[in-house]
Amino acid sequence: MGSVVSYFGQLCGKEKKQEEERYLRANDRPFNLSYHYANNAIKTSKYNIFTFLPLNLFEQLRRLANAYFLFLFVLQLIPQVSSLSWFTTAVPLILVLSITAVKDASDDINRHKSDNHVNNRRVDILIDGELRNEKWMNVQVGDIIKLENNQFVTADLLLLSSSEPLNLVYVETAELDGETNLKVKQALTVTGDLGDNIDELAGFNGEVRCEPPNNRLDKFKGTLTLDGQTYALDNDKVLLRGCTLRNTGWCFGLVIFGGPDTKLMQNSGKTRFKRTSIDHLMNVLVLCIFGFLASMCSVLAIGNAIWEVREGSEFTAFLPRDAGVDAPLSSFLSFWSYVIVLNTVVPISLYVSVEIIRLGNSFYIDWDRKMYYPKNDTPAQARTTTLNEELGQIKYIFSDKTGTLTQNIMTFNKCSINGKTYGELLDFSGRSVEITEKTERVKFHWNELADPKFIFHDHSLVETVREGNPEAHTFFRLLALCHTVMPEEKEEGELYYQAQSPDEGALVTAARNFGFVFRSRTPETITVMEMGRKVVYELLAVLDFNNVRKRMSVIVRSPDGKLTLYCKGADTIIYERLHPSCNKLMGVTTEHLNEYAGDGLRTLVLAYKDLDEGYMDYWKIRHHEASTAMEGREERLDELYEEIEKDLLLLGATAVEDKLQDGVPQTIEQLAKADIKIWVLTGDKQETAENIGYSCNMLREEMKEIFIVAANTAEGVKEELQNARRKMCPNAAEEPSVIRARAGLFWCQKTETVQDEKVDGDYGLVINGHSLAFALEKNLQLELLRTACMCQTVICCRVTPLQKAQVVQLVKKYKQAVTLAIGDGANDVSMIKAAHIGVGISGQEGMQAVLSSDFSFAQFRYLQRLLLVHGRWSYLRMCKFLRYFFYKNFTFTFVHFWYAFFCGFSAQTVYDEWFITVYNLVYTALPVLGMSLFDQDVNDRWSFQYPQLYSPGQLNLYFSKKIFVRCMMHSCYSSLILFFIPWAAINDTVRDDGKDIADYQSFALLAQTCLLFVVTIQLCLDTHYWTAVNQFFVWGSLAAYFAISFTMYSNGMFLIFTSSFPFIGTARNSLNQPNVWLTVFLASLLCILPVVAFRFLLIQLRPTINDKVRYKVRKEALPAAAPPYIRTRRISTRRSGYAFSHSQGYGDLVTSRRFLLKRPLKSRPVLFAQTDSPLAQNQPQHYRTIAEEQESQSP
C-alpha cells in the first residue's frame, strides 16, 4: 500500500526530498514556507471520502481468495462455460466485500476522530505582533507560541523564555520515556531576557540551523544565530511534543519541528496491517488448493477429451454438438466448467464465517466482567477484531515497567529506627499479620499539616514519635531536611511537594505526617514545623547526589547554633563511613534491611554527625578553593566530601515500595508456567528496574546468576554477552545455529530461525540502553538474541522507544514466534505497533498506547485472562472451525469428482443446484458457527489451574499444513463412501410398489442427504461444550434441510417456476422408502466409525495435555477461585541502593538565590563563591537522559 502511494508520488513528481539540515527564521512565515516543512497537523488515518472505495477495494482484492472469486464470477457470466448461476458467487462476494469495507470504514473514522481531537487543540501563537488563539494544526515551523502551566507541548520547540528564575521550565516526560519525575529545561540567557514582552518577542528574528527530523529523543544539535552571534543548542534547550509543562506559569518557544517531523511522531513507528499466522497459513493453503483444483480440473478435462473421442459420437443423435465444437474445444470448456463446479473447495463463506467468529470472540472480550476495572469504569476492549486467535499463540511478551507493572506510586512502607523496626503488624503470638484495605489505619488528626492521602498502619511509630523519642525525632528531622524537594503552598496548610524523584516525595511526605513538616526553603534556610513548632535551619551546604557517591548530605545550623551533617544513601556506602561505635546497631539494621529487600522494598540508610564550628570554617575555606579550581575540581570536591562524611552515627533505614499493580507477581508466574517468556523494556534506570524485577518474581534469588551487561563499547558488550552465554551453556557452538527457509505466498519470503538452546537452571539478564545500542548492531544482534533467549528473564533499561521496537523486531525476525507488546505510554507506541499483538493499558500516561493498540484494558493482571482464557479459546475454536470447514467442503466437492467418471465428464453436478447454493449458507453455516463461538475444552477456572494447556497453541499443534493434509485424506475417504454406497444401493433398485427409483434426481437427493447427516454427526463429535444454542442450530439445520427440500420439490414450486425447480416429487418418492434410510445409516456408520476408533486409540496411547485435563475435569470438582496472592518473604543477599531517579546538579539549584526570584538578575551570590552551576550558565545540564548516562551498579 505504502509502495503504491510512493510510486504515484514519484509519477506526479512529488516524492519528498531527503532533508539534510533544517534552516528556519523566527517570525518569518514566508521564508519558512519556502522550504515546504511539514505543518503541525498529524494524520494516522488511511482513507478519505474520495479514496476509500478504490483503495479499500484494491486492498481487499489483494487477498488471493477475493481475487479468485471475482475471477469465478466473470467465468460464470460466460454461457458456454457456466454450469451454475452467476448469483451463487456474486451475492456472497458482495456480502464479504461490504462487511469488510464497513469494518475498515469504522476503524478509519475512529482514527479521523482521534486525529481531529489532537489537531483541534488550541494554543496561543504570536502572529503579526499579537497573540492569537489558534488550532494546533495551524502552527507552522518558525512560529513563536506561548504555553501555560499543565499544557501539552504543541510541537518540538526551542525554549526562549519562561516565568521561572534562570529561564527554567519543568516538564513531565511520561509520554516520551515513561518517567513521571519532573525534568528541567533551560533557555539561553540571550533569549531568556525577552521575558514575556510581546513586542520584543515579535521582533525576535533569530535563525536556527539544526539536525533534520529524527527519532533520537536524547540528542539535539543546532545553533542559534542572533545579531551576528552564534549560540550552541542542545537537548536541554528543547521542549519535545508529548511533554507536559508543570510548575511553570508560562513559557515561550520557537517551533522547530511540527507534526510528523516531531521526535514523538518519528518514534511512533509505522502502522502495519497485522495478519495472524493462521491468515498467512490460509493464504498458502488457498494457493495449494488452487493448484489442487487446477490438477483435478485438468484430469477431468483430459477425461472429457478421451470420452468425447471414444463415446461421444454415440450420443450426438439426440445430443447434437454446437457448431464448431470438437473434442479439444469441448475438453477446454469442460476445464473451466469444472473450475466453477469444484470451486467449493474454497467457498467464499469461509471468509465470511472467519470474520463472524473473530467478531464474536472480540465481543466476549468486550463483555467480560472479570476484565472490567470498576475504579476507573474501564472495560476491556478488543480494538482490532482480526487477531483474536493469535492471542492463543504468544511466546514472547515485551512489557513496559512504569505504569504497566507498577502503579507509578511510591509509598513509605517500613522503617528501622535505632534497631527497632516499624511498619509490620504482629498478632499476640508475634506472627506477622497481612495488611489489607480493611486494616485499621493510623490517624494523624493531631497533625494539622498531615497529608490525608498518606497511609500507615503501625500505631507504635506514632506513639514513639509523640513520646519524644530523640532517635525517632532525629530520624524524621533528617528526612525533612536532607532532600531537594520544592514545596508549593497554594492555600494555608495545603502543601504540595514537587519532587524530582517519587522516592524523595514519599520520604518527605512521611516526615510531614509524623510531625516534621518541610514547609519552605530559601537558598540559605529550610523551614520545618517540628511537632507543631516552627524551626528555621540555616542551610550551609548541600553535598549533592551522583551515581558514584550514591548518597546525599546537607549541613545545617539549628536555631541554637548546633552544626549537624545529615546523610542518606545506599547501605554499603553509608556503612563504610560509620563510627565504630555503631557496629552493633549496624548488625540489627542489616537484618531489617534484608527483610525489607526480601519484600521487594527500596531501602536507604540514614546517618548524621555533629560538626565542630572551627572545623566547619576551615572546611568552607578549602571547599571554596576546590570549587573555584581550574583543574581537578571534581576530584578535590570529592576528597572534601569524603573527609567530612565519615565517623557518621547510624540512625536507621527507610523502606519505600514502588507499588506494583494488583496481581502482577501471580500473573507473571502463571504466564511463565504457560511457557511464555517476559522481557521488560523500560526507560527507567537500572537499579529501579532490577527492584521491580525482584518485586514481581521475574528475578529471583534462586536463579543461578543474573548477568549485567553495561559496557560502553561494542567490544565490551560482545565480551560480556559471550561470557554470559558460555557460563550458561559451556558446550554451545560459538556460532549460532541458523536455519534458513522459505515461507509465505509463492514461497518468496526468506526466513532465518535461530534455534533455542538448552540451559540447566534459571538465569536473568539485565542490559542498559548504551549496551543495547551496540548489541542491536548487525554483527552483534544474534549474540544478544542467543544469550537473551537462554535466560528466563530479560530486563532492558534506559531504552528509547525506537530500541523497544528494534528488540521486538529482532525476536520476530529470528525466532518466528508470536510476540505481544504491552505498555501504557506514548513511549510504548512503536513497540506496540512492531509486535504481532499490541496491548494498551489505559493508565496515568495518557491514551496514545491505547489508541495504537489492538486490545486494551486497565490492569496488567487482566493479561493472563486475555491469553489463557480468551486467547486459548479463540485459537482452539478457529482451528476446529478450519479443520471442520475444510473437511465438509472437500467431502462435498470430492463427490463431484467421483461422479464425473459416471457422467461422461460433462460437468453435470451430482446435487441439486439449490442444494449447492444453500449448503454453505444455510444447512452447515449455523452449526459450525455455534461450535466456533461457544466451544471450550475446559472452563476458565481449569484454564487458570493448568496454564500448560496454553502451550499447544505456541507449537501450532491444532492447525498446520500437516493437519490440513490429514483433513483432505479424511474427506477423500468420506467422499468415496458417500458416493459409492448411495450409488451401489440405488442402482437397479425398485420401490415397494415395484416402480423404478434409480433415476438421477433420486440419487442426487440420497447423496446429499447422506452428506448432510455425515457432516452433522462429525460436527457433534468435534463439539466439547454443548449449549442450547448449539442444539438449536444442529437440529434446526437438519429440520431446515427437510423443510426446504419438500418445499422446493413440491408440485407448487414446479408449476410457478418450472425451469428453476425440476426435482418435482423427488423428496416424497424417495424419503418414504426404508432402503433409502438404511443407506443413509450405513453411509453414516462407515464414515464415522473409523473416526471414533482412531480418536479412542489416540487418547489411550498418546493423550495430549487437553485430554488429561478433560479427564480430570470429569473426575474432580470445579477448582476453587485463585486465593489472594500472599508474597512470601525471601532472604535477600542484595539490597536496593540509592534507587532514586535523581539528577546531579539539583543540590546547587536549590541553594541558588536566583531560584526564588521572579525575574533573573544579572549576577547572584552563591554558597562558597561557586560559579560553575550547569543551570546558572548556558552549559548542558547533567541530569539523566535515556541513553547517555553511565548506569550505576546495584550494591
Side-chain angles (χ1 to χ4, degrees):
M1 179 62 206
S3 59
V4 173
V5 174
S6 174
Y7 173 69
F8 283 117
Q10 285 177 337
L11 285 182
C12 301
K14 292 183 180 178
E15 184 70 8
K16 192 174 179 183
K17 195 177 175 183
Q18 186 68 36
E19 191 177 337
E20 294 179 1
E21 181 188 59
R22 177 143 297 198
Y23 177 44
L24 60 107
R25 187 180 296 154
N27 291 313
D28 192 345
R29 276 196 172 185
F31 175 82
N32 298 321
L33 287 171
S34 67
Y35 287 92
H36 304 291
Y37 295 137
N39 64 15
N40 203 42
I42 61 165
K43 178 176 177 286
T44 59
S45 55
K46 293 162 67 176
Y47 314 108
N48 62 37
I49 197 164
F50 301 109
T51 61
F52 174 73
L53 199 59
L55 284 181
N56 189 259
L57 275 176
F58 172 72
E59 279 189 357
Q60 290 202 58
L61 291 175
R62 286 172 69 190
R63 182 182 268 182
L64 197 59
N66 288 345
Y68 164 67
F69 290 119
L70 184 64
F71 171 69
L72 264 184
F73 171 65
V74 173
L75 272 184
Q76 285 181 315
L77 296 176
I78 304 171
Q80 291 83 356
V81 171
S82 179
S83 51
L84 285 170
S85 303
W86 62 269
F87 59 80
T88 56
T89 299
V91 172
L93 178 62
I94 292 169
L95 186 69
V96 168
L97 295 178
S98 302
I99 289 172
T100 309
V102 167
K103 186 173 69 66
D104 290 346
S106 172
D107 290 345
D108 210 57
I109 286 168
N110 288 334
R111 282 191 284 267
H112 273 287
K113 285 179 180 175
S114 169
D115 291 346
N116 290 336
H117 174 71
V118 173
N119 290 333
N120 289 323
R121 287 175 178 165
R122 313 291 294 195
V123 69
D124 289 331
I125 310 176
L126 187 59
I127 301 175
D128 298 334
E130 61 179 9
L131 282 176
R132 296 183 191 169
N133 194 253
E134 294 278 350
K135 294 177 180 178
W136 275 26
M137 61 183 176
N138 297 331
V139 172
Q140 301 284 348
V141 169
D143 287 350
I144 292 178
I145 64 175
K146 180 184 181 182
L147 296 175
E148 296 184 343
N149 195 31
N150 296 326
Q151 270 191 334
F152 289 110
V153 177
T154 310
D156 288 356
L157 309 175
L158 170 65
L159 180 61
L160 297 178
S161 63
S162 85
S163 59
E164 302 306 298
L166 301 180
N167 306 314
L168 298 171
V169 299
Y170 301 94
V171 289
E172 186 181 278
T173 59
E175 294 286 2
L176 292 172
D177 57 19
E179 294 188 12
T180 52
N181 48 294
L182 300 183
K183 303 219 172 33
V184 179
K185 301 282 184 175
Q186 184 179 32
L188 290 165
T189 305
V190 67
T191 60
D193 291 341
L194 298 170
D196 59 349
N197 187 313
I198 299 299
D199 293 334
E200 288 191 23
L201 285 163
F204 177 71
N205 62 351
E207 294 183 355
V208 173
R209 289 182 184 270
C210 65
E211 60 191 21
N214 60 72
N215 52 33
R216 295 189 299 273
L217 291 173
D218 56 325
K219 287 186 173 65
F220 179 83
K221 290 180 182 175
T223 59
L224 170 68
T225 305
L226 184 65
D227 299 332
Q229 296 289 318
T230 301
Y231 303 88
L233 303 177
D234 57 29
N235 205 42
D236 300 318
K237 312 289 187 295
V238 175
L239 303 181
L240 300 182
R241 179 175 179 144
C243 297
T244 308
L245 200 66
R246 300 289 191 209
N247 300 337
T248 307
W250 50 261
C251 75
F252 284 88
L254 172 67
V255 178
I256 300 174
F257 301 121
D261 291 343
T262 58
K263 291 185 184 271
L264 175 67
M265 295 302 290
Q266 292 274 315
N267 264 288
S268 65
K270 291 181 180 176
T271 301
R272 293 178 176 84
F273 178 57
K274 294 184 178 181
R275 310 272 299 268
T276 67
S277 54
I278 282 183
D279 271 335
H280 292 298
L281 177 59
M282 275 172 61
N283 269 352
V284 174
L285 293 180
V286 166
L287 192 65
C288 294
I289 291 169
F290 289 161
F292 182 66
L293 176 63
S295 63
M296 280 200 301
C297 293
S298 300
V299 168
L300 298 178
I302 293 167
N304 177 269
I306 295 169
W307 188 86
E308 285 288 350
V309 171
R310 291 188 179 179
E311 309 285 343
S313 57
E314 297 177 12
F315 291 87
T316 52
F318 59 91
L319 279 176
R321 291 192 180 122
D322 294 337
V325 175
D326 55 5
L329 182 57
S330 172
S331 172
F332 175 76
L333 292 175
S334 72
F335 175 87
W336 295 110
S337 295
Y338 270 115
V339 167
I340 295 171
V341 170
L342 303 179
N343 80 80
T344 45
V345 284
V346 190
I348 198 161
S349 59
L350 170 68
Y351 291 94
V352 180
S353 302
V354 164
E355 292 301 324
I356 291 171
I357 291 164
R358 285 174 172 163
L359 189 65
N361 285 313
S362 299
F363 282 135
Y364 291 152
I365 294 170
D366 294 343
W367 296 337
D368 193 342
R369 289 185 179 183
K370 293 180 180 175
M371 293 171 68
Y372 169 72
Y373 191 53
K375 189 175 178 183
N376 295 345
D377 188 27
T378 309
Q381 191 178 7
R383 297 174 55 80
T384 304
T385 58
T386 56
L387 301 172
N388 304 64
E389 68 270 14
E390 195 110 293
L391 290 170
Q393 297 181 275
I394 304 298
K395 183 66 180 173
Y396 289 89
I397 291 175
F398 300 92
S399 174
D400 178 38
K401 179 196 76 70
T402 310
T404 303
L405 298 176
T406 65
Q407 296 180 31
N408 228 1
I409 299 169
M410 300 288 177
T411 57
F412 180 81
N413 199 295
K414 295 177 183 177
C415 63
S416 170
I417 302 175
N418 197 31
K420 184 176 179 183
T421 184
Y422 298 93
E424 192 163 15
L425 299 184
L426 304 176
D427 59 16
F428 294 112
S429 60
R431 292 180 182 173
S432 178
V433 175
E434 185 189 357
I435 293 173
T436 65
E437 289 186 4
K438 295 180 180 178
T439 308
E440 186 187 359
R441 299 178 183 179
V442 172
K443 293 176 182 174
F444 295 97
H445 55 270
W446 52 274
N447 181 357
E448 292 180 0
L449 294 173
D451 184 348
K453 297 176 186 172
F454 182 79
I455 298 172
F456 201 74
H457 296 91
D458 189 354
H459 292 75
S460 63
L461 181 55
V462 178
E463 292 166 8
T464 303
V465 172
R466 296 190 72 183
E467 285 169 2
N469 182 290
E471 289 83 7
H473 279 209
T474 308
F475 180 93
F476 285 111
R477 185 177 295 118
L478 187 153
L479 293 182
L481 294 171
C482 186
H483 55 78
T484 58
V485 172
M486 301 301 296
E488 185 180 357
E489 192 163 352
K490 294 182 178 177
E491 294 179 22
E492 183 67 27
E494 280 193 32
L495 271 174
Y496 295 91
Y497 292 145
Q498 295 300 336
Q500 203 229 348
S501 92
D503 309 57
E504 274 213 315
L507 295 177
V508 177
T509 302
R512 168 184 175 178
N513 275 62
F514 285 101
F516 288 76
V517 184
F518 166 55
R519 196 69 185 265
S520 63
R521 72 158 76 243
T522 69
E524 294 89 12
T525 64
I526 296 176
T527 304
V528 179
M529 297 293 291
E530 294 187 356
M531 305 303 287
R533 184 171 60 92
K534 183 177 178 180
V535 182
V536 180
Y537 290 89
E538 185 183 350
L539 179 61
L540 300 176
V542 175
L543 283 55
D544 204 4
F545 162 85
N546 67 34
N547 273 343
V548 178
R549 284 169 44 75
K550 292 189 181 177
R551 64 189 184 277
M552 172 191 175
S553 300
V554 294
I555 301 173
V556 296
R557 179 183 279 116
S558 64
D560 57 9
K562 187 178 176 184
L563 287 173
T564 312
L565 179 145
Y566 292 107
C567 182
K568 66 180 180 184
D571 51 353
T572 49
I573 302 295
I574 301 293
Y575 281 177
E576 292 169 1
R577 291 160 177 77
L578 292 179
H579 192 273
S581 63
C582 299
N583 286 346
K584 186 177 177 182
L585 178 57
M586 188 171 75
V588 178
T589 306
T590 302
E591 287 180 17
H592 295 160
L593 285 169
N594 286 337
E595 287 179 15
Y596 301 158
D599 289 336
L601 305 178
R602 300 164 66 164
T603 57
L604 287 174
V605 170
L606 312 186
Y608 74 102
K609 174 185 179 181
D610 291 327
L611 297 173
D612 177 66
E613 189 77 47
Y615 170 74
M616 188 62 199
D617 291 339
Y618 176 54
W619 188 85
K620 281 163 67 176
I621 294 168
R622 289 187 296 148
H623 183 277
H624 172 67
E625 292 171 357
S627 62
T628 53
M630 295 302 293
E631 292 183 5
R633 182 184 302 170
E634 294 294 327
E635 292 77 7
R636 290 177 64 178
L637 284 172
D638 281 344
E639 284 176 19
L640 280 171
Y641 291 168
E642 287 287 336
E643 178 190 309
I644 202 167
E645 290 174 326
K646 64 181 183 183
D647 292 333
L648 303 173
L649 299 176
L650 181 61
L651 272 173
T654 62
V656 172
E657 182 181 9
D658 187 357
K659 284 187 85 69
L660 291 173
Q661 286 191 12
D662 295 339
V664 166
Q666 60 268 46
T667 299
I668 287 171
E669 193 178 318
Q670 284 283 86
L671 296 175
K673 286 179 184 174
D675 199 26
I676 299 172
K677 293 190 174 181
I678 302 180
W679 294 19
V680 174
L681 310 176
T682 177
D684 219 332
K685 56 183 279 191
Q686 180 180 320
E687 230 169 13
T688 311
E690 278 187 60
N691 282 324
I692 295 302
Y694 279 100
S695 298
C696 54
N697 288 341
M698 292 179 67
L699 297 176
R700 300 182 299 279
E701 293 294 327
E702 311 84 66
M703 284 183 164
K704 283 194 173 180
E705 192 165 347
I706 292 164
F707 302 104
I708 309 289
V709 177
N712 286 317
T713 63
E715 280 303 312
V717 171
K718 184 177 182 180
E719 188 179 338
E720 288 182 356
L721 287 171
Q722 286 180 340
N723 289 342
R725 174 173 55 77
R726 287 165 187 155
K727 275 189 180 179
M728 289 187 283
C729 198
N731 302 322
E734 282 300 305
E735 292 301 316
S737 169
V738 180
I739 297 174
R740 290 175 174 82
R742 285 187 174 273
L745 205 58
F746 301 109
W747 288 266
C748 297
Q749 183 185 341
K750 293 180 180 177
T751 63
E752 295 177 294
T753 308
V754 176
Q755 294 292 92
D756 286 331
E757 295 169 86
K758 296 283 183 186
V759 177
D760 291 330
D762 290 344
Y763 294 87
L765 176 71
V766 179
I767 182 168
N768 68 27
H770 310 293
S771 307
L772 189 62
F774 293 115
L776 287 170
E777 290 174 3
K778 198 163 187 180
N779 59 332
L780 273 183
Q781 59 184 15
L782 286 183
E783 191 63 56
L784 167 68
L785 189 69
R786 282 183 80 190
T787 308
C789 289
M790 287 181 183
C791 298
Q792 186 70 26
T793 297
V794 178
I795 296 177
C796 305
C797 37
R798 282 290 181 210
V799 293
T800 64
L802 189 66
Q803 284 177 328
K804 291 183 177 187
Q806 288 172 335
V807 171
V808 174
Q809 284 161 348
L810 180 65
V811 173
K812 276 175 69 175
K813 182 179 179 182
Y814 289 108
K815 280 298 176 182
Q816 308 303 323
V818 182
T819 57
L820 179 146
I822 180 168
D824 71 322
N827 59 316
D828 304 313
V829 167
S830 55
M831 169 176 79
I832 283 170
K833 287 182 177 178
H836 292 99
I837 302 277
V839 177
I841 288 186
S842 42
Q844 298 181 20
E845 292 183 22
M847 293 295 287
Q848 269 83 348
V850 169
L851 292 173
S852 303
S853 67
D854 305 305
F855 300 89
S856 68
F857 41 70
Q859 294 280 290
F860 181 83
R861 68 176 183 271
Y862 298 147
L863 184 63
Q864 62 175 322
R865 186 166 182 85
L866 185 72
L867 300 187
L868 302 185
V869 178
H870 291 288
R872 199 178 68 80
W873 282 349
S874 294
Y875 174 69
L876 193 72
R877 289 164 181 164
M878 184 59 74
C879 292
K880 268 194 178 185
F881 166 78
L882 291 173
R883 289 200 305 264
Y884 176 74
F885 207 95
F886 282 124
Y887 164 75
K888 78 180 179 68
N889 279 86
F890 271 104
T891 305
F892 175 90
T893 308
F894 280 158
V895 174
H896 278 301
F897 184 79
W898 308 129
Y899 182 60
F901 292 90
F902 293 84
C903 70
F905 304 97
S906 61
Q908 184 185 8
T909 56
V910 71
Y911 314 114
D912 170 25
E913 190 175 286
W914 285 104
F915 179 80
I916 293 171
T917 306
V918 296
Y919 174 72
N920 279 311
L921 293 177
V922 179
Y923 298 152
T924 59
L926 290 178
V928 71
L929 279 178
M931 178 184 74
S932 308
L933 288 173
F934 301 112
D935 200 47
Q936 47 183 264
D937 51 352
V938 294
N939 65 24
D940 53 348
R941 284 201 190 173
W942 285 102
S943 298
F944 284 134
Q945 187 85 354
Y946 293 96
Q948 299 84 353
L949 286 167
Y950 189 82
S951 55
Q954 297 168 327
L955 304 171
N956 289 313
L957 294 185
Y958 292 149
F959 191 73
S960 61
K961 292 172 189 169
K962 186 177 174 183
I963 288 171
F964 174 72
V965 171
R966 202 182 295 163
C967 282
M968 282 184 65
M969 291 168 65
H970 183 197
S971 297
C972 188
Y973 166 77
S974 296
S975 65
L976 283 167
I977 299 291
L978 289 169
F979 176 75
F980 285 102
I981 293 294
W983 177 79
I986 209 167
N987 194 26
D988 297 329
T989 302
V990 294
R991 287 162 45 92
D992 294 342
D993 56 9
K995 291 180 181 177
D996 187 9
I997 61 166
D999 61 294
Y1000 159 71
Q1001 293 186 346
S1002 299
F1003 170 70
L1005 179 68
L1006 179 57
Q1008 63 197 37
T1009 305
C1010 289
L1011 171 73
L1012 199 61
F1013 269 86
V1014 166
V1015 296
T1016 303
I1017 295 169
Q1018 182 66 44
L1019 177 102
C1020 296
L1021 288 177
D1022 287 345
T1023 303
H1024 287 143
Y1025 184 72
W1026 284 93
T1027 66
V1029 178
N1030 292 70
Q1031 298 274 6
F1032 175 75
F1033 283 169
V1034 168
W1035 297 111
S1037 294
L1038 286 174
Y1041 167 67
F1042 288 110
I1044 292 170
S1045 296
F1046 278 105
T1047 304
M1048 285 184 172
Y1049 303 163
S1050 66
N1051 296 3
M1053 294 299 284
F1054 177 74
L1055 289 171
I1056 301 168
F1057 306 104
T1058 305
S1059 60
S1060 299
F1061 299 98
F1063 277 53
I1064 179 173
T1066 307
R1068 61 176 181 267
N1069 286 343
S1070 299
L1071 295 178
N1072 63 358
Q1073 298 301 305
N1075 56 350
V1076 169
W1077 289 105
L1078 183 63
T1079 305
V1080 172
F1081 174 73
L1082 182 62
S1084 303
L1085 193 66
L1086 288 173
C1087 285
I1088 299 302
L1089 204 57
V1091 177
V1092 174
F1094 176 74
R1095 291 187 183 182
F1096 174 77
L1097 289 173
L1098 209 60
I1099 288 174
Q1100 296 302 315
L1101 302 176
R1102 291 175 60 189
T1104 62
I1105 178 74
N1106 295 63
D1107 296 328
K1108 292 173 182 176
V1109 174
R1110 287 181 64 226
Y1111 177 77
K1112 205 160 191 174
V1113 169
R1114 287 196 294 270
K1115 295 290 180 185
E1116 297 180 12
L1118 190 71
Y1125 181 76
I1126 300 172
R1127 182 188 288 162
T1128 52
R1129 175 173 288 162
R1130 53 190 169 83
I1131 303 302
S1132 177
T1133 56
R1134 62 172 294 287
R1135 286 189 294 280
S1136 151
Y1138 195 103
F1140 283 5
S1141 312
H1142 197 89
S1143 303
Q1144 186 177 355
Y1146 260 65
D1148 185 72
L1149 178 63
V1150 298
T1151 55
S1152 157
R1153 184 184 300 278
R1154 283 178 71 188
F1155 187 82
L1156 299 172
L1157 299 175
K1158 276 294 168 195
R1159 293 298 313 149
L1161 303 173
K1162 295 299 179 190
S1163 61
R1164 68 178 179 104
V1166 293
L1167 285 175
F1168 311 141
Q1170 184 178 345
T1171 59
D1172 61 329
S1173 163
L1175 295 175
Q1177 301 179 18
N1178 296 325
Q1179 298 175 3
Q1181 301 160 29
H1182 297 293
Y1183 72 89
R1184 276 180 285 187
T1185 55
I1186 289 177
E1188 285 186 341
E1189 188 178 339
Q1190 177 73 30
E1191 291 291 334
S1192 60
Q1193 299 286 329
S1194 181

